[in-house]
Amino acid sequence: MEWNRLQTKTDYMVKENYYNQFVYENYLKLTNTEKQLLSTYLKNNTERKSYGDAKSAIVNFLNKNIAYDEKSEGIKDYRSFLTEFLEKNKTGNNKDFATATVLMFRYFGIPSRYVKGYLITKKDIENFVQSFYKIKFRFLILK
């Protein structure tokens, strides 16, 4: 039994190492143009930052320099996204802010990627279960 736990832990660590390597190879990529543009706006600060420091720098920059507009159609040409977002439009929707944030985290040496989806919390599940049983109970009474 002890051997199985050790083997499982070893397998996990090997797989985690491969995934970690994959993340750093793929989720730090920036073009030279993106690096140059970000260094201009983020004050040539390319030193690797902690997540908290990077997050603060990004939020402060975006709050001071870019307007949020949820009705904006957003940037259409993602080949020149940063130029459009930072220099021309200086406004964007949630997708634009998320994309810019990913690129800025990468600039600070923090692997990141854009993922669209939903966050389901424990509270969401509890609320769903309660609602489901209330509806089911009402249905049984009405029958």
Side-chain angles (χ1 to χ4, degrees):
M1 180 110 175
E2 187 63 32
W3 183 84
N4 284 339
R5 275 193 209 147
L6 289 174
Q7 187 62 37
T8 302
K9 195 179 235 184
T10 301
D11 290 344
Y12 171 80
M13 293 305 292
V14 167
K15 290 175 183 171
E16 178 67 19
N17 188 41
Y18 283 128
Y19 182 69
N20 193 42
Q21 183 178 348
F22 171 82
V23 165
Y24 275 85
E25 287 174 0
N26 291 282
Y27 300 143
L28 282 173
K29 292 180 181 175
L30 291 170
T31 66
N32 288 334
T33 303
E34 290 168 336
K35 287 177 192 173
Q36 184 178 12
L37 196 54
L38 288 170
S39 72
T40 300
Y41 285 95
L42 299 174
K43 311 293 186 236
N44 292 314
N45 189 353
T46 57
E47 69 185 46
R48 187 164 180 176
K49 291 186 173 293
S50 71
Y51 172 77
D53 290 343
K55 178 182 166 189
S56 293
I58 292 166
V59 168
N60 289 336
F61 173 81
L62 291 173
N63 282 337
K64 289 178 185 173
N65 298 289
I66 309 294
Y68 176 75
D69 179 4
E70 69 181 43
K71 294 179 183 176
S72 169
E73 291 185 19
I75 308 299
K76 298 288 187 219
D77 184 3
Y78 275 85
R79 291 173 295 179
S80 61
F81 170 79
L82 281 176
T83 303
E84 293 289 324
F85 186 70
L86 297 175
E87 296 182 337
K88 294 181 182 172
N89 289 6
K90 295 187 181 184
T91 187
N93 59 26
N94 55 354
K95 185 177 175 183
D96 298 331
F97 271 74
T99 301
T101 300
V102 164
L103 296 173
M104 290 177 187
F105 270 123
R106 288 179 177 190
Y107 176 78
F108 288 128
I110 298 172
S112 53
R113 65 187 179 119
Y114 178 86
V115 178
K116 183 178 177 181
Y118 300 94
L119 171 64
I120 299 174
T121 65
K122 182 179 178 184
K123 182 124 176 104
D124 294 330
I125 293 168
E126 289 169 354
N127 290 340
F128 171 77
V129 170
Q130 287 174 354
S131 298
F132 175 77
Y133 282 112
K134 284 179 185 175
I135 291 168
K136 188 175 181 183
F137 183 71
R138 286 184 189 146
F139 177 74
L140 290 173
I141 291 174
L142 292 174
K143 255 185 154 179

